[in-house]
Amino acid sequence: MSATMDFQTAATLGGHLAKTYAKDFFELLVTYKDISASEAASRLNLHIQTAQDFLEAMTALGILKKVEVYEKKRPYFRYTLEKEKIRLEIDLTKLQRAKNSGVLSQRIRERRNTGARFSTARSGLAISSVIIWTGEGRDRQERKINLTTPQGKFLYHLPFPNAEPLSIEEIMRKAGLDEGLSPEIEDIVGVLEDLGVIEGM
Amino acid sequence: MYYMRKLKPDSSVTGLLIILGILGIAGIAGALFGQAWGLKVLGGLILLYALYSLNVWIRTMSTGYLVATLYQAALGIFIMTLPADLEVGLQSPFSRLFLVIYVLLLPVLGYYAFTKKIKWRGREILELAATTVEEVGNGFTPRPLPAGKLEYTHNELLAFTEFVRRNLVAIPFNEGQRIMMVVVKMGEEFRYILRLHDDILDETWVSFDFNGEVSVNISQRDYLEFREALSFDQLCDSLGKLFIDFFDMFRRGESVRVIDRMDALRLSPFS
């Protein structure tokens, strides 16, 4: 397998490796030159469909290769181990939301009459959590978002509803936050924008 | 200088209710158990009120409240020790002593009351904060506003806190890392003295932390006290600046000007 894989591929592989029969399956595959789904199913005492699914999944992931063969004109597949080593490596930095240089210059402020409740941290210079009510009537639900310390400092300096909006960059500077923290700030701004607590100009 | 009032007129009747309550309970006791018992209950309740005033004095070290405590205690003891026959009672040297103390303290207390030395300055603070706020536009948020950063020493802050406390400008709460000065209006002090208030974070306050950060919060209850929906942002900013000005004046040794600024509003001593 390639050195790094995307998260979805890794999740699929991980899901199959976690099956109780996966180790026995790979023992078979590494021992046999090639094997069919029915042979593997009978050998491992599995349902043929289970064995078929596993083999197909491993083929799709490039761990096995399959060859179509005929027995009395009836075609079926035989599977051969293509890779003797599986390396599961995920580059987590790729999960970070794509930095958009325009986002930091976006001017924002608190939206008017949101009903959001901000709890001040004991230190006094940060917000510790935001409580927002979502839904109507019986579906009305309280949603509490606990903030990280940088997010709390950022929201503490967020302009009031009728104040001049400021850019995210400017608010971060006021809050004394390093630019390296911008991804988590952008994240909370996005969440609060979606919930209608913050408005962008 | 004439200041346009921005707060609604004071409609608080807490003080009046307490007096009426005391007289009512004493009246009921007198009607049920006779005049002597009525007087004892009246005296007892006044003594209880004196204990409350003593508590305020301990919390604030305001001389006016010490006078009020002595005045109420003298009155309470005088009434409690009165026998059913009032004429005989007034002949008693014990009753006469407390009557004299009471009569002597009455003008002293009157002086403290009319010179606003026993007045909680919450209304003055809110009026002064609102003087520079012209823009109208709601925008209340239950969030504190960072009002700036100052340079002061630990001792300067503690001394200013003491000044604020003694002059009933606010009730200070030491939170360890910062001192929160809760703005208290007349008639609302009971909640803080008897600790019946909600979380002070939800009240109107100005906080000074030991690193120089100043923050301001205005409660929704106080914000609704203004006649118009003033710009909340400007109001908080103005309140912060007001306390920063007070602190500066205090550090320059001009603390009397702080009191003068509040007195210049010419609010009633009882509002």
Side-chain angles (χ1 to χ4, degrees):
Chain A
M1 298 224 59
S2 61
T4 57
M5 58 179 78
D6 66 81
F7 194 87
Q8 198 48 52
T9 309
T12 310
L13 176 59
H16 283 96
L17 291 179
K19 304 276 189 201
T20 50
Y21 51 80
K23 184 167 174 269
D24 296 336
F25 229 125
F26 280 111
E27 274 175 9
L28 268 190
L29 288 163
V30 80
T31 308
Y32 287 52
K33 184 174 166 283
D34 57 18
I35 195 164
S36 70
S38 67
E39 287 162 358
S42 63
R43 171 70 179 72
L44 297 174
N45 199 22
L46 297 172
H47 191 277
I48 188 164
Q49 189 61 47
T50 310
Q52 179 81 46
D53 290 347
F54 185 83
L55 291 166
E56 281 301 318
M58 291 304 112
T59 306
L61 289 167
I63 296 167
L64 304 180
K65 74 170 182 192
K66 65 180 180 183
V67 178
E68 194 175 27
V69 293
Y70 289 87
E71 189 183 304
K72 295 176 189 171
K73 291 187 180 172
R74 196 165 62 86
Y76 71 99
F77 290 108
R78 296 199 68 80
Y79 299 86
T80 313
L81 197 62
E82 175 83 349
K83 293 194 162 62
E84 289 182 329
K85 285 182 181 167
I86 301 172
R87 226 171 125 199
L88 203 159
E89 192 175 288
I90 308 166
D91 183 358
L92 292 175
T93 59
K94 285 187 177 161
L95 292 177
Q96 186 178 320
R97 285 178 194 159
K99 263 193 184 178
N100 182 350
S101 57
V103 170
L104 287 182
S105 58
Q106 188 196 357
R107 296 171 77 232
I108 57 166
R109 69 178 174 194
E110 186 186 335
R111 191 184 288 273
R112 196 174 288 212
N113 299 327
T114 57
R117 189 176 162 77
F118 296 83
S119 302
T120 314
R122 274 289 151 195
S123 69
L125 299 171
I127 304 290
S128 58
S129 64
V130 187
I131 296 169
I132 305 133
W133 288 90
T134 56
E136 293 288 329
R138 281 173 172 271
D139 296 329
R140 199 158 159 76
Q141 277 188 334
E142 185 189 87
R143 181 163 173 202
K144 183 177 181 184
I145 301 174
N146 289 322
L147 305 167
T148 63
T149 306
Q151 287 173 340
K153 285 184 178 172
F154 177 83
L155 285 190
Y156 190 75
H157 289 83
L158 179 71
F160 279 7
N162 55 354
E164 267 301 297
L166 292 176
S167 69
I168 295 177
E169 213 169 6
E170 223 169 322
I171 302 170
M172 283 179 71
R173 200 167 37 247
K174 275 184 137 190
L177 298 175
D178 187 74
E179 207 188 318
L181 294 162
S182 59
E184 66 183 276
I185 299 300
E186 285 171 28
D187 179 60
I188 195 68
V189 169
V191 170
L192 294 177
E193 253 181 337
D194 291 345
L195 290 168
V197 178
I198 286 178
E199 61 183 351
M201 298 286 136
Chain B
M1 189 171 173
Y2 178 74
Y3 290 95
M4 180 98 94
R5 296 279 179 266
K6 295 205 172 172
L7 283 172
K8 293 173 190 165
D10 182 22
S11 54
S12 168
V13 287
T14 319
L16 191 65
L17 280 181
I18 291 170
I19 295 169
L20 290 176
I22 289 174
L23 291 175
I25 293 170
I28 292 168
L32 291 176
F33 306 109
Q35 184 185 319
W37 270 101
L39 287 173
K40 284 198 191 316
V41 169
L42 179 63
L45 290 173
I46 293 173
L47 276 179
L48 269 182
Y49 199 78
L51 274 181
Y52 164 77
S53 296
L54 180 68
N55 192 5
V56 180
W57 177 68
I58 292 168
R59 283 293 304 277
T60 62
M61 286 290 136
S62 160
T63 322
Y65 272 95
L66 180 61
V67 175
T69 304
L70 295 173
Y71 166 83
Q72 289 153 2
L75 179 63
I77 294 171
F78 168 67
I79 293 175
M80 263 190 104
T81 53
L82 272 181
D85 185 348
L86 289 180
E87 278 185 25
V88 176
L90 290 173
Q91 309 270 325
S92 144
F94 191 69
S95 292
R96 278 186 176 180
L97 172 70
F98 283 102
L99 183 62
V100 168
I101 295 173
Y102 165 69
V103 170
L104 286 177
L105 285 174
L106 189 59
V108 182
L109 187 64
Y111 165 77
Y112 275 97
F114 285 99
T115 52
K116 300 176 186 172
K117 288 185 185 344
I118 51 172
K119 178 183 179 346
W120 292 91
R121 301 294 194 143
R123 288 185 76 81
E124 277 94 337
I125 297 291
L126 294 176
E127 284 282 8
L128 283 174
T131 46
T132 54
V133 184
E134 292 300 336
E135 192 183 315
V136 176
N138 197 351
F140 174 80
T141 177
R143 207 154 57 82
L145 175 91
K149 195 167 166 70
L150 287 184
E151 280 196 13
Y152 46 78
T153 65
H154 193 278
N155 285 340
E156 279 175 332
L157 178 58
L158 292 181
F160 178 59
T161 304
E162 197 53 34
F163 166 77
V164 162
R165 183 206 314 273
R166 276 178 186 271
N167 290 284
L168 311 181
V169 177
I171 294 187
F173 289 85
N174 193 333
E175 296 267 293
Q177 292 168 318
R178 60 177 175 164
I179 291 178
M180 296 178 70
M181 301 179 183
V182 178
V183 174
V184 181
K185 301 199 293 290
M186 277 299 266
E188 286 185 356
E189 68 276 17
F190 301 95
R191 295 171 50 231
Y192 301 98
I193 300 297
L194 301 175
R195 297 184 190 276
L196 301 173
H197 58 83
D198 305 324
D199 189 348
I200 53 167
L201 290 174
D202 296 332
E203 306 290 340
T204 298
W205 47 260
V206 178
S207 88
F208 291 81
D209 85 358
F210 291 113
N211 295 319
E213 298 282 354
V214 185
S215 308
V216 176
N217 190 68
I218 295 180
S219 71
Q220 190 167 27
R221 196 182 56 247
D222 283 340
Y223 183 56
L224 295 175
E225 281 285 305
F226 289 99
R227 291 172 199 263
E228 291 177 307
L230 299 177
S231 164
F232 191 68
D233 173 55
Q234 290 181 21
L235 189 63
C236 288
D237 190 50
S238 176
L239 179 58
K241 283 195 177 114
L242 181 71
F243 266 77
I244 290 170
D245 282 354
F246 282 180
F247 196 0
D248 280 342
M249 285 188 229
F250 174 78
R251 283 194 292 183
R252 291 198 303 266
E254 297 172 359
S255 51
V256 70
R257 290 194 190 282
V258 174
I259 307 297
D260 287 347
R261 256 184 94 176
M262 292 188 291
D263 286 347
L265 287 168
R266 297 183 185 282
L267 293 185
S268 154
F270 307 104
S271 72

